[in-house]
Amino acid sequence: MQYLKNVEIRGVVMHEQFYTILQVSEIIPSVSVSISDGSARIETLLHDSRKVSNPAYALFFALAGRRDGHQFIGEVYASGVRNFVVSNDEIDHANFPAANFIVVRDTLAAMQALAAYHRGRFACPVIGITGSNGKTIVKEWLAQLLAPEYRIIRSPKSYNSQLGVALSLWQLDDTYELAIIEAGISQPGEMQALQRMIRPDIAVLTSIGPAHDDGFSSTTEKITEKLRLFEGAKHAVYSPDDVQGVTVPSKGAHTTWGSGNVVLQVLGYEMIADKRCRIQARHANTDMAIVIPFTDAAAKSNALCCWAVMLSMGYEQSVIAHRMALLQPVEMRLEMKKGVNNCTVIDDSYSNDLSSLAIALDFLRQQQQHRTRTLVLSDIPGADGHEEQVYSKVSNLLADNKIDRIITVGPQLLERADKFGFLNHIAFRDTDSLLDSLPDLTFEHEAILLKGARKYAFERVSGALMAKMHDTVLEINLNAVEHNLNQYKTLLPSPVKLMAMVKAFSYGSGSFEVANLLQFNKVDYLAVAYVDEGVELRKSGIRLPIMVMSPGPASFEVLVARRLEPELYSFTVLDDFIRVLSNQDVTGYPIHIKVDTGMHRLGFSVQDAKRLSSRLQNTDAVKVQSIFSHLAAAGDAEHDAFTERQLNDFGKFADELTAALGYPVIRHIANSVAIQRWPQAHLDMVRLGIGLYGVESKLDSRLLLQQTGTLKTVITQIRQVAAGDSVGYGRRGRLVKESTIATVNIGYADGYDRRFGNGVGHMTVKGRKARTVGDICMDMTMLDLGDIDAAEGDEVIVFGDVTELAANIGTIPYELLTGISQRVKRVYYYG
């Protein structure tokens, strides 16, 4: 077993686990260097000004991209960082007197060079994984399968990009005995940089699918680019079916799997009891088999890939078969749920290592809705022999992330309570002890992060801390919200500000949960419909400027007390607001002037500019923060002439009012669709609404928006109903043949529109469509399962992409999204 022998590196004398800034300047290709303290110690690589940790020993790379890192050097310096890699040699170093600067041509390439050097310091084997699908699953399964022999470092979550690979490799130190690194690409020329960093001993190709096809001229080009990872590898693991005739460039041993003339020849699959699958294969002229606790096609492919890797590493078949039968599902997403006593529970309870702990703590730090942050943490697997180093790092992470209380589970953390003396620390030896003590622990108005290794079964803790609600949930993918935000940002010139619409409970997606993400991503403004929505955001720690679009005079005092900014659209409302300010002796309060350019809903008339100017010049109670209007038909080409008139009228009104005021005012008129179709309407700021949540008009192929919300429920009951019988109220659901009818746990009180009844709507069960039968009830809906093999308790997808569904009942996606009842539990996930 060639690679198993490397376990002996436990006895190797450790290298120093840090660099000095002077050493870094000699490792990366620099243009110039300005170092005031060459002995400054570097332990942490930073690239995001919002995620500063370990500042005294951090090195900040000012990456040039959607957000130019050079613009945030001052902010990072103020947080305590003193070491910088930049590509702008015009930075005035006098503004940063204690800083060290390394100037390079390309900051990302510099980070990659440092990561490549760092990887080269360690003798442990490295497995590099690429492919279209299955990279993360194969990585996580290999970590499960190889854990008994190795202390493994692996790419956290899906850190497989040009940046992510560098950050993953930086985690290597002498305590690890194996590294498993993902490599993801989306266009030609990217793999070379990843290969130089990873230099895998074992290169693995998972399956090839359509992912990222748009970035390549052909499938052959994509495969060729991915296989560049294999250059120089001692072992190559792949299926010839996936390489499609492209030559694999590894000169080492090839372990192939699939059908035909391969090293691991698949003979067949057999479904067996308890939703398991037996995979039969032939290797070295011997028939053998494994059983996996999964039956889907992707799992079979991923298991075969892992089987081949283990064979290439010299594992005995009996060991492989035993471990394959114990494979666990990979839960890569971090979920945020409503907890008991107004708590927020962040559930990341299926894995625990330093990398994923750091990511989870970053997410916890984004949450501003609670002042108190509690971490429930289990022992970290694989720390045997290196406990002092591992738990010292944990202690530093908690200090950096300002944790208020820590509850630990496991003997290793119990024995090292002294490392967490700066915190309110409660320690338990095992999960049962924690669960027994939960009634005596106080959890109120706090954010609780659950971070536990799988063997500690923290899902039991999550269940105990969750607010109890019914089984219908709306899952919101915060990664997708962030992705969509960044997609729209790519269309905006850098000076243009962005206002995000979070009215109507963020189009049904949540309130502070989405607002926290937007605040973290530094949008310029938020907008809500009513004052009470803004008040909730302020109570939840949102500090961004918030415009209220429909403020009533009765709410003005609360609005001022919470520092919310009103949209004012008539002289009556303006005078009422000025009166409230005068009574409180308030001056210069920010307001937003709404002008009606053709929507004919709310707003000052275009002809009111002169009178409004006079009124505003005669008061010091308010200051105009912005002037704005609404486009009525920006997405309809047939109304482009009307849109142009609106833009022209708005420009004239804004020019006249701004000239009279004598100070600069933000102008905005572009909504989500206008951001795409009308770049001349970007002006000083744009308003991003429904597009943020993955709904667009399909007008611009440059935008690759992601679905953010999925409404799910479960099957409550399944019954056979005879031909001629009816289903539901009014007997409108007549059956023409005997049918299998499922009752699911959602109705119109949850926001599932009654118009979807009687076969108009459908839901997805086991990946297949099941149409509605009969009228939609208040709390339930009936589905005709046809020949779908489903069981009570199975998950049902009510809807994801709402565009087509909305069209089927003659409405718009807004109505479906905002109509989801607040009794439907929201679950937010990240990762």
Side-chain angles (χ1 to χ4, degrees):
M1 301 202 310
Q2 178 182 356
Y3 286 96
L4 297 182
K5 294 179 181 177
N6 287 313
V7 172
E8 297 171 2
I9 67 170
R10 285 185 186 275
V12 173
V13 177
M14 289 185 61
H15 295 290
E16 292 290 344
Q17 298 305 313
F18 61 87
Y19 299 82
T20 67
I21 189 66
L22 185 60
Q23 289 172 328
V24 171
S25 72
E26 294 169 349
I27 293 168
I28 63 179
S30 60
V31 173
S32 63
V33 175
S34 174
I35 294 180
S36 58
D37 178 12
S39 65
R41 177 168 162 169
I42 304 301
E43 296 178 352
T44 304
L45 304 187
L46 302 177
H47 66 95
D48 191 329
S49 62
R50 304 163 300 178
K51 300 180 180 180
V52 173
S53 62
N54 197 23
Y57 304 111
L59 176 61
F60 180 76
F61 286 79
L63 301 182
R66 193 170 46 248
R67 299 168 71 244
D68 186 352
H70 296 85
Q71 298 176 4
F72 302 97
I73 288 175
E75 181 180 329
V76 176
Y77 183 85
S79 70
V81 177
R82 294 295 177 265
N83 303 289
F84 298 87
V85 176
V86 300
S87 58
N88 182 353
D89 59 2
E90 297 179 359
I91 295 171
D92 188 350
H93 294 188
N95 294 329
F96 313 102
N100 299 313
F101 283 95
I102 302 174
V103 181
V104 299
R105 288 186 174 84
D106 184 324
T107 49
L108 177 58
M111 182 189 285
Q112 292 174 335
L114 180 58
Y117 179 89
H118 186 69
R119 181 262 184 266
R121 291 177 59 188
F122 303 101
C124 71
V126 176
I127 300 175
I129 303 174
T130 190
S132 299
N133 307 305
K135 295 187 295 295
T136 301
I137 299 295
V138 168
K139 177 196 68 183
E140 294 297 320
W141 279 359
L142 285 175
Q144 293 179 31
L145 294 163
L146 306 178
E149 286 74 43
Y150 297 97
R151 181 159 187 259
I152 299 170
I153 186 71
R154 61 193 189 276
S155 305
K157 295 194 181 289
S158 295
Y159 274 40
N160 59 24
S161 65
Q162 301 289 311
L163 174 62
V165 168
L167 295 174
S168 298
L169 288 168
W170 183 254
Q171 302 170 94
L172 269 171
D173 63 40
D174 274 319
T175 67
Y176 294 109
E177 299 150 346
L178 176 68
I180 309 177
I181 306 296
E182 282 187 59
I185 58 170
S186 58
Q187 59 188 18
E190 290 186 330
M191 188 58 83
Q192 185 177 33
L194 301 185
Q195 191 278 336
R196 285 174 179 169
M197 286 188 285
I198 300 170
R199 279 171 286 163
D201 298 283
I202 303 175
V204 179
L205 180 72
T206 63
S207 63
I208 293 294
H212 299 120
D213 275 354
D214 291 345
F216 297 90
S217 62
S218 66
T219 301
T220 298
E221 183 182 48
K222 181 170 72 170
I223 295 170
T224 301
E225 181 67 20
K226 288 182 181 294
L227 289 177
R228 293 187 189 281
L229 178 66
F230 286 60
E231 294 174 2
K234 298 174 185 175
H235 287 267
V237 179
Y238 60 94
S239 169
D241 295 337
D242 284 316
V243 302
Q244 297 180 24
V246 177
T247 301
V248 178
S250 171
K251 295 181 179 179
H254 289 221
T255 301
T256 54
W257 58 271
S259 57
N261 184 22
V262 291
V263 174
L264 180 64
Q265 183 183 14
V266 180
L267 301 178
Y269 305 95
E270 180 186 358
M271 302 302 116
I272 57 179
D274 300 323
K275 297 182 178 180
R276 295 179 298 157
C277 176
R278 177 181 287 111
I279 306 177
Q280 298 166 320
R282 180 172 293 127
H283 170 63
N285 296 318
T286 302
D287 288 352
M288 54 186 60
I290 60 171
V291 173
I292 58 173
F294 310 95
T295 59
D296 59 283
K300 297 172 194 173
S301 175
N302 293 332
L304 281 163
C305 187
C306 292
W307 191 358
V309 172
M310 294 185 77
L311 288 172
S312 77
M313 296 177 71
Y315 278 86
E316 299 292 338
Q317 172 59 24
S318 59
V319 174
I320 297 172
H322 173 72
R323 295 183 186 175
M324 284 284 185
L326 301 176
L327 281 175
Q328 297 289 324
V330 176
E331 298 285 348
M332 294 302 297
R333 54 188 228 175
L334 179 155
E335 293 187 342
M336 184 163 64
K337 312 167 185 176
K338 185 176 181 181
V340 297
N341 303 326
N342 197 35
C343 291
T344 298
V345 176
I346 301 171
D347 190 350
D348 196 13
S349 58
Y350 290 95
S351 66
N352 194 17
D353 55 58
L354 287 172
S355 301
S356 64
L357 176 60
I359 292 171
L361 288 170
D362 265 338
F363 184 76
L364 176 63
R365 190 165 52 172
Q366 291 181 37
Q367 308 310 312
Q368 302 297 318
Q369 63 269 30
H370 306 289
R371 292 184 177 180
T372 301
R373 297 184 177 100
T374 294
L375 170 65
V376 184
L377 179 71
S378 80
D379 281 354
I380 295 177
D384 301 347
H386 304 285
E387 291 89 350
E388 289 303 309
Q389 288 173 273
V390 169
Y391 292 108
S392 292
K393 290 179 179 179
V394 170
S395 178
N396 291 336
L397 276 173
L398 302 191
D400 280 342
N401 286 277
K402 298 179 173 58
I403 298 299
D404 300 293
R405 175 170 65 157
I406 181 173
I407 299 170
T408 60
V409 177
Q412 293 181 358
L413 283 162
L414 183 64
E415 293 168 12
R416 290 166 181 78
D418 59 304
K419 292 189 180 294
F420 309 102
F422 60 96
L423 290 168
N424 175 3
H425 180 202
I426 306 168
F428 297 93
R429 183 163 292 278
D430 53 43
T431 306
D432 285 337
S433 301
L434 168 58
L435 289 169
D436 290 343
S437 300
L438 275 182
D440 301 320
L441 298 175
T442 301
F443 294 97
E444 290 184 335
H445 304 284
E446 58 193 286
I448 306 166
L449 171 61
L450 304 180
K451 198 77 183 76
R454 187 179 294 273
K455 73 175 185 177
Y456 287 95
F458 268 23
E459 62 269 19
R460 297 159 62 201
V461 182
S462 175
L465 293 175
M466 283 274 296
K468 301 299 186 288
M469 300 179 75
H470 70 359
D471 292 323
T472 298
V473 299
L474 177 63
E475 293 186 345
I476 294 103
N477 182 345
L478 295 177
N479 277 107
V481 176
E482 188 172 52
H483 169 86
N484 295 340
L485 173 67
N486 290 330
Q487 283 287 298
Y488 278 96
K489 282 183 176 180
T490 63
L491 303 181
L492 301 176
S494 56
V496 176
K497 299 179 184 294
L498 190 145
M499 173 183 283
M501 312 301 289
V502 292
K503 62 182 181 176
F505 201 58
S506 294
Y507 296 81
S509 295
S511 180
F512 62 79
E513 298 89 352
V514 173
N516 269 325
L517 180 72
L518 297 171
Q519 179 168 267
F520 180 74
N521 280 277
K522 298 188 176 182
V523 302
D524 301 283
Y525 258 94
L526 299 178
V528 297
Y530 299 106
V531 169
D532 56 354
E533 293 178 312
V535 169
E536 287 303 309
L537 293 181
R538 287 285 184 250
K539 287 180 179 178
S540 299
I542 300 302
R543 303 177 301 277
L544 287 172
I546 301 174
M547 182 177 79
V548 181
M549 304 187 75
S550 300
S555 64
F556 281 160
E557 291 188 1
V558 175
L559 180 145
V560 174
R562 292 292 183 173
R563 201 65 185 176
L564 305 171
E565 301 178 12
E567 165 195 313
L568 301 180
Y569 49 82
S570 72
F571 288 104
T572 300
V573 176
L574 174 62
D575 290 342
D576 286 342
F577 189 62
I578 290 173
R579 191 176 303 113
V580 169
L581 295 175
S582 298
N583 291 339
Q584 298 185 25
D585 198 26
V586 174
T587 61
Y589 198 90
I591 64 171
H592 301 263
I593 296 297
K594 170 72 174 295
V595 55
D596 176 20
T597 57
M599 178 76 83
H600 298 324
R601 189 170 60 180
L602 292 175
F604 289 95
S605 296
V606 173
Q607 295 76 22
D608 289 333
K610 185 173 183 180
R611 179 185 169 195
L612 180 59
S613 298
S614 176
R615 183 71 185 90
L616 292 170
Q617 286 173 320
N618 289 320
T619 180
D620 62 356
V622 298
K623 181 179 180 180
V624 178
Q625 194 72 12
S626 83
I627 304 168
F628 74 104
S629 187
H630 274 88
L631 295 174
D636 297 328
E638 63 180 300
H639 298 302
D640 281 355
F642 182 82
T643 300
E644 288 175 354
R645 286 200 302 273
Q646 280 194 274
L647 293 174
N648 185 57
D649 289 346
F650 177 70
K652 290 178 180 178
F653 180 94
D655 285 346
E656 185 172 351
L657 187 59
T658 303
L661 293 173
Y663 55 80
V665 175
I666 297 170
R667 306 176 187 208
H668 52 108
I669 194 172
N671 55 7
S672 296
V673 68
I675 294 173
Q676 301 175 62
R677 289 199 71 228
W678 295 91
Q680 65 269 45
H682 289 170
L683 306 178
D684 303 308
M685 184 161 68
V686 298
R687 298 190 303 273
L688 179 56
I690 195 74
L692 182 63
Y693 307 99
V695 179
E696 61 166 337
S697 57
K698 309 296 183 185
L699 292 170
D700 195 321
S701 60
R702 289 179 295 168
L703 289 181
L704 301 173
L705 300 187
Q706 295 178 359
Q707 174 185 313
T708 62
T710 303
L711 184 60
K712 295 181 176 182
T713 189
V714 296
I715 296 176
T716 305
Q717 187 177 35
I718 296 176
R719 60 160 35 92
Q720 295 298 123
V721 181
D725 277 2
S726 62
V727 176
Y729 287 117
R731 304 200 67 198
R732 279 180 280 274
R734 294 280 185 176
L735 300 178
V736 297
K737 63 178 181 179
E738 181 180 357
S739 302
T740 304
I741 303 299
T743 300
V744 298
N745 201 26
I746 189 171
Y748 60 77
D750 302 295
Y752 191 62
D753 199 295
R754 291 188 77 247
R755 289 172 288 181
F756 284 126
N758 298 295
V760 174
H762 69 267
M763 301 181 193
T764 303
V765 181
K766 295 292 187 71
R768 297 172 60 188
K769 290 182 179 180
R771 295 222 161 260
T772 60
V773 181
D775 287 354
I776 308 300
C777 304
M778 180 180 288
D779 308 300
M780 290 171 279
T781 297
M782 284 68 76
L783 303 175
D784 186 344
L785 291 179
D787 62 352
I788 300 172
D789 182 18
E792 293 175 1
D794 279 352
E795 180 181 84
V796 176
I797 306 298
V798 182
F799 58 66
D801 185 352
V802 296
T803 304
E804 179 183 350
L805 291 174
N808 288 345
I809 59 171
T811 187
I812 57 175
Y814 295 70
E815 182 179 354
L816 293 188
L817 293 174
T818 59
I820 300 172
S821 168
Q822 290 307 298
R823 80 175 188 175
V824 173
K825 178 171 61 177
R826 268 68 173 174
V827 174
Y828 302 85
Y829 64 93
Y830 197 91

